[in-house]
Every structure is written in C-alpha cells, then in structure tokens.
C-alpha cells in the first residue's frame, strides 16, 4: 500500500448502484474486498453494518439510483451513500431492539464515530441532486 510521510496514501472508491435490493449484498462484498486490499480488514464488520443500513435505506425509500463512496484518509474511513431523494433522513424515535424496520439510522448513529448528511443540489456531487448521508469509522491502524 503506497504511503506518504504522514501515513497511508488516501484512497477513494465510488460504486454506482441501481434501485435494487440485490445491491445491498454486492456493496457489502465490495466493501470487504476494498478494506482487505487496503489492509483494513479489522474495520470490515462495523463498516458492513453501516453500509448495509445506508444502502438499504436508499433502495427502500427512494425510486432512483444511488451511489456509495468509500474514502480513507489517515486513520478515518468515511462511508457515504448518495440517493436522489432530497428528503432529510430522520432516525426513528419509536423503535425497540426487537423492531424489524426503522432502526437503520439509529444503528448508524450508535455504531459510527460520527455521521451526518448534506442535501445535494449540485449535479457535480457524486451523481447529482438528492442527499448524501455519511458516517466515519476511525482506526488505530
């Protein structure tokens, strides 16, 4: 893995996905391969949970395509998912650990080191207008 004087060289991948539930396991497998290739397999389990929740939300709650962006810089892995729906994400307040739906953003909030979202109005951002939900995991590498 290439390194600079300050540590590993930053890297980024973008995967464009259709609005199809089969995209979720494809994103998980792709994420694991990328993390393994970059020497970060210890982040795979948490990162897979996060990407599963974000991509599932994009597929279930929107009608258009989506994209996943993975970026590592220093000790931080940022996972972001773009979808075409500009509606702000809202973690559900009425879920329990036994709930089968509505827990995705709550899991993201609880498992990531930080998370957030931005409305995308500029068509130069990943794919186009909509929203971009991101979360970060920090590794001691």
């Amino acid at each position: 893995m290439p390194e600079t004087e300050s540590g590993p060289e930053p890297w980024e991948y973008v995967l464009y996905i259709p609005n199809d539930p089969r995209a979720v396991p494809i994103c998980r497998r792709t994420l694991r391969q990328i993390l393994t290739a970059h020497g970060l397999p210890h982040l795979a389990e948490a990162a897979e949970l996060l990407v599963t929740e974000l991509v599932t939300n994009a597929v279930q709650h929107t009608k258009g395509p989506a994209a996943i962006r993975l970026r590592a810089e220093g000790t931080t892995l940022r996972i972001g998912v773009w979808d075409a729906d500009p509606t702000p994400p809202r973690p559900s307040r009425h879920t329990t650990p036994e709930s089968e739906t509505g827990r995705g953003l709550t899991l993201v909030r609880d498992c990531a080191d930080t998370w957030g979202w931005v409305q995308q109005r500029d068509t130069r951002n990943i794919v186009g207008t909509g929203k971009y939900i991101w979360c970060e995991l920090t590794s001691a590498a």
Side-chain angles (χ1 to χ4, degrees), residues 117-128:
W117 76 281
V118 293
Q119 206 163 40
Q120 301 281 263
R121 291 192 172 101
D122 185 345
T123 58
R124 294 174 292 172
N125 290 314
I126 302 182
V127 179

Side-chain angles (χ1 to χ4, degrees), residues 83-98:
D83 66 54
D85 183 355
T87 306
R90 289 189 172 69
S92 179
R93 295 170 199 199
H94 306 291
T95 61
T96 65
E98 294 80 31

Side-chain angles (χ1 to χ4, degrees), residues 7-27:
E9 183 92 18
W11 52 262
E12 179 175 283
Y13 293 83
V14 177
L15 177 64
Y16 299 93
I17 55 177
N19 188 284
D20 184 327
R22 293 174 291 190
V24 177
I26 291 168
C27 289

Side-chain angles (χ1 to χ4, degrees), residues 62-86:
T62 69
K63 294 182 172 82
I68 177 174
R69 174 185 277 166
L70 305 171
R71 177 166 175 72
E73 188 166 355
T75 61
T76 301
L77 172 68
R78 178 175 276 208
I79 300 166
V81 174
W82 169 88
D83 66 54
D85 183 355

